[in-house]
Amino acid sequence: MAYADYQNEVYLNGLADQTPAFPVGWRDLEAAAYAAMNPQARGYVSGGAGGEETMRANREAFDRWRILPRMLRGIPAQRDLSTTLLGTTMPAPVMLAPVGVLEIVHPDRELAVARAAASMGISMILSTAATTPMEDVAAVGGHRWYQLYWPKSRELAASFVQRAEKAGYTAIVFTLDTWQLGWRPRDLDAAYLPFLQGVGIQQYLSDPVFRSQLAQSPEDDPGSAILHWSGQFANPELTWDDIAWLREQTSLPIVLKGVQHPDDARRARDAGAAAVVCSNHGGRQVDGAVGSLDALPGVVAAAGDLPVLFDSGVRTGADAVKALALGATAVLLARPYVFGLALGGEDGVRHVLRTFLADLDLQLGLSGHASLAELSPDSLVRTG
């Protein structure tokens, strides 16, 4: 079944007075999800760095690019959205971005996300800040990458990536832009950092190297374990030269996330990265930074033959079309699936995936493109 057929399913269900269980429009979905969260979770999920100017810049960048539809091009009713990325064929150019501490929005946390993604054949990237050990998420099945926050201990960093490889993850996504947490006023107003409550450090607590560095087990002395985590998380001393060491620790391809400057894309290529992610962490790290979509063309040009994934501000199928037209190989969906998780666990995440993919499929065809390969910068007009 084509993704776009989902709208027919919705309309047919309407004949039996059945409407979607969750909002379809992203703004309504967001509002409902935030209403369902407690204040601390709402601030953590919704907030950005500083005055949240980068968050605004992400959406404004999408507004500046407009799709220029073409007509009478013989578009097939069923379009193939599949793509191949790092040797894996995916049904659509969409992955779930790494988002941490999901337990604060739903008790089924990453397990619900993994089940929904696997049921749709969509690849998931698991965060180092997940509230579920990586092995438990892998047991759900589906295709997965592992996102690394590189700790101070090299032995611990090696353990993380080697555990991921053993558990069947097929790539390591090293996030470059979060070697220290950004200034996040919403969390600061609430004096809330979930990690200090032991939430989002489960990869550490379940790691044999981390546990070996403790005088007592986390179960016997959770406070000391949290304190040790706090000394491990930030690693500001990393440089491009360290990528070579990381590549020696695993046979998995290394993807570098957080690239926005063309020179960094070139450095990533020279360092042997398998792909890069053009991302500003959804506006959560540097305030007043360039919108991610504005940075994308320069990153694509500098990356050469490296695949470039896109992240930050993606909400709709039209957003995905714009990023793909500007050279992205795939887009990462983040906050929208968290909204679905908050509202309905696994069913909520699956709802978000179905609506997003249907929207993407329709936007591609209705704009006059029979396949992803037909998208190019000529598919768009820049208005500002």
Side-chain angles (χ1 to χ4, degrees):
M1 183 179 74
Y3 292 125
D5 290 342
Y6 180 49
Q7 72 170 353
N8 298 331
E9 179 183 326
V10 171
Y11 289 138
L12 288 172
N13 286 339
L15 296 176
D17 295 325
Q18 296 178 14
T19 58
F22 312 104
V24 172
W26 76 265
R27 291 180 178 84
D28 292 336
L29 182 79
E30 178 184 67
Y34 287 149
M37 296 179 195
N38 67 45
Q40 290 179 324
R42 182 164 57 248
Y44 186 87
V45 173
S46 67
E52 300 184 348
E53 298 299 332
T54 304
M55 289 178 62
R56 281 189 279 274
N58 283 335
R59 291 304 311 161
E60 289 169 355
F62 281 108
D63 290 339
R64 279 190 289 273
W65 288 99
R66 297 290 175 174
I67 298 169
L68 185 61
R70 301 294 302 276
M71 299 296 135
L72 297 176
R73 290 163 66 92
I75 306 302
Q78 293 200 4
R79 292 162 293 279
D80 181 7
L81 270 63
S82 64
T83 190
T84 300
L85 185 57
L86 302 189
T88 298
T89 299
M90 300 179 178
V94 177
M95 300 181 72
L96 296 188
V99 179
V101 298
L102 292 180
E103 182 181 311
I104 68 175
V105 301
H106 195 279
D108 291 343
R109 53 200 192 278
E110 294 81 14
L111 294 175
V113 177
R115 293 187 189 108
S119 73
M120 297 286 294
I122 298 300
S123 300
M124 172 188 182
I125 307 175
L126 183 74
S127 174
T128 292
T131 48
T132 310
M134 66 179 82
E135 292 83 1
D136 293 350
V137 175
V140 171
H143 182 248
R144 302 162 311 280
W145 292 356
Y146 177 72
Q147 176 267 334
L148 175 69
Y149 286 130
W150 191 322
K152 282 186 177 178
S153 165
R154 283 203 166 190
E155 186 182 6
L156 180 56
S159 182
F160 280 161
V161 299
Q162 290 162 9
R163 283 174 61 195
E165 183 167 3
K166 183 178 179 181
Y169 293 76
T170 63
I172 301 298
V173 182
F174 172 28
T175 293
L176 309 179
D177 58 17
T178 312
W179 48 266
Q180 187 172 1
L181 293 179
W183 180 257
R184 302 174 184 174
R186 298 197 196 203
D187 294 335
L188 291 163
D189 284 341
Y192 177 64
L193 188 63
F195 310 109
L196 298 184
Q197 299 178 10
V199 178
I201 63 172
Q202 276 58 43
Q203 306 316 319
Y204 298 81
L205 300 182
S206 60
D207 192 272
V209 170
F210 183 85
R211 295 174 73 92
S212 74
Q213 296 170 345
L214 303 173
Q216 292 181 282
S217 73
E219 295 77 19
D220 292 333
D221 188 357
S224 293
I226 292 170
L227 184 63
H228 185 57
W229 167 86
S230 69
Q232 282 295 321
F233 179 76
N235 194 349
E237 297 178 357
L238 293 169
T239 71
W240 288 102
D241 292 338
D242 292 304
I243 303 299
W245 177 87
L246 183 62
R247 292 177 62 203
E248 292 174 354
Q249 309 312 306
T250 177
S251 64
L252 298 180
I254 306 296
V255 178
L256 300 183
K257 180 175 181 288
V259 173
Q260 290 201 290
H261 196 291
D263 285 349
D264 286 342
R266 283 185 276 268
R267 293 294 298 269
R269 185 186 60 203
D270 294 344
V276 298
V277 184
C278 180
S279 166
N280 57 33
H281 214 94
R284 292 171 64 79
Q285 283 299 99
V286 178
D287 192 27
V290 61
S292 201
L293 195 71
D294 285 335
L296 179 60
V299 170
V300 169
D305 59 356
L306 281 188
V308 176
L309 288 75
F310 178 82
D311 172 279
S312 300
V314 177
R315 297 292 183 271
T316 68
D319 294 342
V321 165
K322 293 174 184 179
L324 295 167
L326 291 174
T329 303
V331 298
L332 306 187
L333 196 63
R335 282 186 175 98
Y337 83 77
V338 179
F339 302 153
L341 178 67
L343 290 172
E346 179 183 343
D347 289 341
V349 176
R350 188 179 296 106
H351 166 82
V352 169
L353 286 173
R354 294 195 73 187
T355 56
F356 184 84
L357 291 167
D359 188 17
L360 169 56
D361 191 4
L362 285 164
Q363 294 290 341
L364 180 70
L366 290 171
S367 61
H369 301 92
S371 68
L372 299 173
E374 293 185 1
L375 289 171
S376 74
D378 290 338
S379 305
L380 309 177
V381 172
R382 185 177 174 92
T383 61

